[in-house]
């Protein structure tokens, strides 16, 4: 999650550019002419994405792959549109594939009620509604990966399966740049309480640890 205002892409590691429309962070990764998008923001971030490509001197045709850290609406975002309009494959851990393709999202394991008095909760909720990220736009065709697999896409990320936030939640390790994109595995700002600093996502958006699927 992110509450940074909409801003131009920021290079946070060599060839890794962070984009945000205010609801969630997503990343463009460059490697020798090719591009991988890690997560696809919210559906409403499509124009921001095209503008960011332009700023980097790239085109939609350069986008080889979208890799999803997990199947939540504010990360699946415009992935289907990128798949349809670009020469783009969409990747997701096999335990989140069904949800990315439109199966019903599992229920969170705790009530949101105790957060209702927090203004931060409303800020998060409003930015999700503004980005049209209240439900997943199904990705018609996905490629799946398993734990510890190195994906054959620009940047060659290694998937590290970290179930909890969702069953197929994964962090991506870019070994050649010593960079990890953690998705919602580790966040730097609590979207419900506003507490800053590295922390795990609070319970209401996390699925129970019922799947011990490290393979
Ligand atoms: Zn999430």
């Amino acid at each position: 999650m992110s509450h940074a205002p909409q801003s131009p892409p920021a290079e946070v590691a060599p060839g890794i550019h962070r984009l945000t429309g205010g609801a969630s962070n997503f990343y463009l990764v460059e490697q020798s002419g090719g591009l991988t998008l890690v997560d696809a923001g919210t559906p409403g971030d499509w124009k921001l994405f095209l503008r960011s490509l332009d700023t980097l001197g790239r085109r939609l045709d350069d986008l080889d792959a979208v890799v999803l850290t997990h199947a939540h609406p504010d990360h699946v975002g415009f992935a289907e549109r990128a798949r349809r309009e670009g020469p783009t494959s969409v990747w997701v851990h096999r335990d989140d594939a069904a949800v990315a393709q439109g199966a019903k999202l599992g229920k969170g394991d705790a009530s949101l009620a105790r957060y209702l008095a927090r203004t931060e909760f409303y800020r998060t909720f409003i930015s999700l509604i503004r980005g049209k990220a209240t439900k997943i736009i199904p990705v018609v065709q996905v490629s799946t990966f398993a734990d510890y697999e190195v994906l054959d896409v620009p940047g060659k990320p290694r998937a590290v399966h970290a179930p909890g936030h969702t069953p197929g939640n994964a962090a991506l390790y870019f070994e050649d740049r010593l960079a990890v994109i953690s998705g919602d595995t580790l966040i730097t700002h609590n979207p419900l309480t506003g507490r800053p600093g590295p922390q795990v996502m609070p319970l209401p958006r996390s699925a129970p640890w019922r799947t011990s699927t490290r393979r």
Side-chain angles (χ1 to χ4, degrees):
M1 298 297 296
S2 152
H3 286 281
Q6 193 163 317
S7 50
E11 190 167 10
V12 292
I16 301 184
H17 307 270
R18 183 183 59 218
L19 317 181
T20 181
S24 57
N25 294 329
F26 51 113
Y27 299 85
L28 264 169
V29 181
E30 301 185 281
Q31 190 186 38
S32 48
L35 280 180
T36 293
L37 183 69
V38 175
D39 287 335
T42 65
D45 286 333
W46 174 250
K47 282 196 180 134
L48 163 75
F49 168 61
L50 294 183
R51 270 202 312 277
S52 303
L53 279 175
D54 204 51
T55 304
L56 298 171
R58 311 302 289 268
R59 299 176 315 148
L60 193 54
D61 275 359
D62 300 326
L63 185 67
D64 296 290
V66 177
V67 181
L68 302 173
T69 58
H70 64 294
H72 272 164
D74 54 334
H75 293 256
V76 175
F78 56 79
E80 171 59 13
R81 185 154 187 191
R83 190 193 67 81
R84 246 183 12 240
E85 297 192 17
T88 308
S89 54
V90 179
W91 293 77
V92 65
H93 185 278
R94 56 191 177 193
D95 291 349
D96 267 15
V99 172
Q101 293 188 280
K104 220 164 169 293
L105 200 62
K107 274 215 174 83
D109 60 339
S111 164
L112 287 170
R114 67 193 167 109
Y115 293 101
L116 284 176
R118 310 259 197 168
T119 48
E120 194 65 22
F121 173 81
Y122 288 103
R123 203 172 296 158
T124 295
F125 197 60
I126 286 164
S127 68
L128 291 177
I129 288 173
R130 202 177 287 145
K132 302 181 181 66
T134 48
K135 65 173 197 235
I136 285 177
I137 296 174
V139 183
V140 172
Q141 221 173 5
V142 297
S143 305
T144 59
F145 57 80
D147 187 28
Y148 221 57
E149 202 172 299
V150 175
L151 308 188
D152 190 17
V153 302
K156 300 250 181 304
R158 184 182 290 281
V160 181
H161 187 203
H165 183 63
T166 65
N169 185 69
L172 298 167
Y173 176 40
F174 295 84
E175 202 163 354
D176 62 341
R177 309 157 202 228
L178 295 177
V180 173
I181 296 179
S182 68
D184 284 346
T185 309
L186 184 70
I187 55 172
T188 54
H189 171 105
N190 189 310
L192 300 179
T193 65
R195 182 165 67 93
Q199 58 201 289
V200 293
M201 184 63 96
L203 273 179
R205 306 197 76 224
S206 299
W209 283 77
R210 57 174 177 259
T211 45
S212 102
T213 45
R214 195 172 173 89
R215 294 168 182 118

